Each structure stands twice: as C-alpha cells, then as structure tokens.
Amino acid sequence: MLKLKEVNHIAVICSDYPRSLAFYRDVLGLRLLDEEYRSARRSMLARLALGERYLLELFTFPDSPPRPSYPEACGLRHLAFEVSDIEEALHELDVNKIPHEPLRETPDGGRCCFLHDPDGLPIELVEVKG
C-alpha cells in the first residue's frame, strides 16, 4: 500500500481562461499565486491558493473535449469547498449572478449547496455543523 501524505493540488482544464480565472479568483476567492503561458503546449497555467495548504491549477489547452454529459458521468464528481457561513456564501453567489441549487441539509447536520464553474464543473459549498 502506498503511504500518501496529503492532496498536493487539484487541476482543472477550462475552455475560457479569463472567464474561469475570474470565477475562481473573484467569485470563489482563491488567491492567484502565478500564471504562465507554456508555448510548447499553447497552454495557460494559473496556480491559485486557498489558504496556505491547498493549490488549484487552472489550465487551458486548445481543442480540449467537453466534459461528459450528465447525469453522473464517470470521473471527478465535484470539488467541495468548506465555508463558514453558507447563507453568506449564497448571497455572494446571488450578487455575482452565479446560479446555484437550493440549500440542502447534509446527513451529518451540516448544510451544502451546488453550483457550476464556467465550464459546468460541479462545485459544492459545505457548511460543517459545529
């Protein structure tokens, strides 16, 4: 058995780099660490941080195929981010005109909500009971 230590980063391929960068940075609040154009791959790469521990790499590649259709296609199901106040988070989504599903109760007594990034990748916001 491998002895994994922790998740190192999450990588997302987007179709519209400026739109997705704005979403992850300006709507979700991730901090842009750096970005680079990789000419050999005709690809942009942005590294974004959530706090001091989590890294999201945002890529764009020419002619990337679209995400498989719903419902429940195989592959990554969603990214989940914890928030302190889910109602405040939903208000921010509404202010930014980001559509989202209604608030749900989680089995452990917390609350969550689903939305999508600009390419349709499911995002879950979770408020942990406590």
Side-chain angles (χ1 to χ4, degrees):
M1 176 186 313
L2 292 175
K3 294 183 183 339
L4 302 178
K5 291 173 49 178
E6 61 186 40
V7 173
N8 181 270
H9 67 274
I10 299 163
V12 174
I13 298 173
C14 64
S15 64
D16 182 328
Y17 179 77
R19 182 178 70 172
S20 291
L21 179 60
F23 175 81
Y24 284 97
R25 183 191 56 212
D26 303 336
V27 175
L28 295 186
L30 278 70
R31 180 172 39 92
L32 179 63
L33 299 175
D34 60 39
E35 57 187 335
E36 65 181 271
Y37 180 71
R38 302 174 324 154
S39 59
R41 300 187 81 186
R42 298 179 316 168
S43 169
M44 283 300 298
L45 166 60
R47 290 178 190 84
L48 299 123
L50 176 61
E52 299 301 317
R53 184 172 177 186
Y54 301 103
L55 179 66
L56 185 135
E57 293 180 340
L58 185 62
F59 291 91
T60 182
F61 294 104
D63 305 317
S64 291
R67 178 178 168 79
S69 65
Y70 291 94
E72 305 300 340
C74 287
L76 180 66
R77 185 169 183 189
H78 61 264
L79 297 177
F81 296 103
E82 186 173 330
V83 296
S84 298
D85 184 334
I86 191 85
E87 291 175 12
E88 180 181 315
L90 295 181
H91 174 74
E92 286 297 319
L93 293 175
D94 292 340
V95 165
N96 286 286
K97 297 182 171 78
I98 305 294
H100 57 83
E101 294 181 2
L103 191 59
R104 301 182 192 185
E105 297 289 323
T106 61
D108 63 358
R111 300 184 298 171
C112 69
C113 177
F114 285 87
L115 59 135
H116 293 92
D117 84 349
D119 285 302
L121 179 66
I123 306 281
E124 180 183 14
L125 301 179
V126 181
E127 178 188 79
V128 177
K129 182 181 176 184

